[in-house]
Amino acid sequence: MEEFRNKLQKNIKIYWLLVIVSAVAIVGMYGFAAVTGDGEYGSGYNSGFFAAMLVVSLLHIKRNKMALQDENLFKHLYVRNTDERNNQIMREASKTSFIITIAGMSLATMVISYFSEVVSCTLSCCMAFILIVYFGVTAYYNRKM
């Protein structure tokens, strides 16, 4: 359990790093927009993404700190994260989701090729990227375990 406690403390540090990066990115975007006079740069998807990352990171910091202070919550998180049954269910769900996603993208790529070559190429590149990441992660865990 001490190893899990150290993991939570390490995660808190990582989440603080994400909070700092998000805050700097938001301030930087709005600062850049103010300096250049481009009012659109600081708004929209980018600032929304970083604001969401900031809020989620703060919520995780709060949850982890509460778990480190409350023994019952700590034990609940420990069981939830180390339970073999839950881990196996998550692995199987992830594998099935991956296969369905790749099959759906393949089908969409074939269908959309009749309408737009650009969209078809984009979907193909996305599918290739997903497969490269999958094979890279699989190779990493094969060496690690």
Side-chain angles (χ1 to χ4, degrees), residues 67-122:
L68 289 171
Q69 294 169 353
D70 181 15
E71 198 61 33
N72 289 331
L73 182 57
F74 179 76
K75 286 180 182 176
H76 173 72
L77 277 177
Y78 177 77
V79 168
R80 191 178 79 187
N81 286 321
T82 58
D83 183 35
E84 281 298 318
R85 181 178 174 270
N86 288 340
N87 290 339
Q88 187 63 29
I89 290 170
M90 184 60 78
R91 267 189 241 116
E92 292 299 319
S94 297
K95 185 169 66 171
T96 304
S97 298
F98 174 75
I99 291 169
I100 291 171
T101 301
I102 291 298
M105 286 184 80
S106 300
L107 184 63
T109 301
M110 288 186 284
V111 169
I112 205 71
S113 67
Y114 293 110
F115 303 106
S116 173
E117 186 176 328
V118 173
V119 176
S120 177
C121 289
T122 303

Side-chain angles (χ1 to χ4, degrees), residues 45-63:
Y45 298 115
N46 293 331
S47 61
F49 170 77
F50 285 113
M53 191 165 74
L54 185 124
V55 169
V56 169
S57 296
L58 288 173
L59 289 173
H60 280 287
I61 289 169
K62 181 177 173 61
R63 183 199 65 186

Side-chain angles (χ1 to χ4, degrees), residues 11-29:
N11 285 347
I12 288 173
K13 291 176 185 173
I14 291 170
Y15 287 128
W16 273 118
L17 180 65
L18 288 175
V19 166
I20 292 168
V21 167
S22 298
V24 168
I26 291 170
V27 169
M29 282 189 293

